[in-house]
Amino acid sequence: MKPNPLYYRTEFLKSAPIPRDAPPDEGLEVAFAGRSNAGKSSVINTITQRKNLARTSKTPGRTQLLNFFQVNATSRLVDLPGYGYAKVPKAMQKAWGKAMEDYLRHREALKGVFLIMDIRHPLTDIDWQMADWCAHANLQLHLVLTKADKLSRGAASSTLLQVRRSVEAEGVVASTQLFSAVDRSGLEEAHSVLDHWLGF
Ligand code: GDP
């Protein structure tokens, strides 16, 4: 497997509150979801080889927005708002959940979701919730265990195996992989899943 340089031409397209102002619902999209600090921006930046592409999503005022990145004329990557801020008021959490569910369920262009998890804290409640929404919306799901460099090779493989077993036991259909933004391991695998979903 080789990386696909097509993703290195990805450009920031726009930020949009859900669902207003989103780009027209045509072509194909893959969304990236994950708890805040899981390493989602680093995964997007590594996949696109654009150092600060996903930083736009972190500028104040944009953290609650969907951020759209254009890969080519017909394909987009979408950075979903990070979830899991314990301090966010209940009402806001609820609004976030509703907006997420609506987008996942009704966005025709959306093909699947890359769910980014810190390998040291995989499958939290909110990750299961996201997996559940994906299943209900008939979306493909790819679990990315990132920061794999934080563990020994053996420990990382064994966590990957455990995660696979857990999702299987819960009847969740998902592919899984290890990733590291530090040493770029898993990059080819991530590209290959994107290629598959986006038809490249
Ligand atoms: P986000 O909030 O999910 O977008 O997370 P970020 O991508 O901003 O990463 C959160 C923190 O984890 C930052 O301090 C990153 O430098 C660090 N980080 C992200 N990916 C990796 C990785 O693959 N390996 C290591 N060791 N640290 C990482």
Side-chain angles (χ1 to χ4, degrees):
M1 259 191 298
K2 276 203 267 178
N4 184 348
L6 176 78
Y7 298 102
Y8 306 159
R9 293 201 290 265
T10 304
E11 299 282 353
F12 175 70
L13 180 63
K14 68 185 301 186
S15 298
I18 322 164
R20 273 181 303 122
D21 293 335
D25 193 359
E26 43 193 49
L28 291 171
E29 270 170 21
V30 174
F32 289 70
R35 284 167 59 95
S36 317
N37 230 32
K40 178 162 58 80
S41 306
S42 304
V43 170
I44 295 173
N45 289 337
T46 305
I47 282 176
T48 57
Q49 218 91 307
R50 305 292 305 271
K51 251 197 182 141
N52 293 316
L53 190 65
R55 187 192 274 177
T56 26
S57 317
K58 293 202 158 194
T59 49
R62 278 190 176 164
T63 51
Q64 293 300 315
L65 302 175
L66 279 86
N67 293 285
F68 292 86
F69 305 109
Q70 188 93 45
V71 177
N72 71 359
T74 53
S75 306
R76 294 175 297 274
L77 306 181
V78 187
D79 189 4
L80 300 182
Y83 49 72
Y85 279 116
K87 290 198 186 106
V88 170
K90 270 263 149 50
M92 237 175 110
Q93 278 180 29
K94 220 171 152 190
W96 172 87
K98 168 112 185 53
M100 268 313 106
E101 203 181 353
D102 279 355
Y103 166 74
L104 295 172
R105 208 178 270 247
H106 300 303
R107 185 81 172 165
E108 291 287 328
L110 185 62
K111 185 85 183 156
V113 172
F114 270 42
L115 180 49
I116 314 303
M117 303 185 287
D118 184 324
I119 192 162
R120 298 163 301 173
H121 317 284
L123 296 173
T124 63
D125 288 353
I126 192 83
D127 294 322
W128 283 115
Q129 173 71 83
M130 185 59 75
D132 199 42
W133 285 336
C134 287
H136 280 104
N138 274 325
L139 295 168
Q140 309 246 37
L141 180 62
H142 185 58
L143 305 178
V144 179
L145 300 178
T146 193
K147 309 192 194 179
D149 59 280
K150 294 266 193 190
L151 299 184
S152 70
R153 205 179 269 251
S157 312
S158 119
T159 304
L160 180 67
L161 208 64
Q162 272 170 30
V163 166
R164 280 185 180 151
R165 287 207 184 111
S166 304
V167 297
E168 223 170 278
E170 292 295 320
V172 172
V173 178
S175 45
T176 39
Q177 74 157 103
L178 298 174
F179 194 91
S180 165
V182 168
D183 60 23
R184 295 186 184 180
S185 56
L187 176 63
E188 294 86 350
E189 205 174 338
H191 278 177
S192 147
V193 175
L194 287 175
D195 286 353
H196 194 61
W197 290 2
L198 296 171
F200 296 139

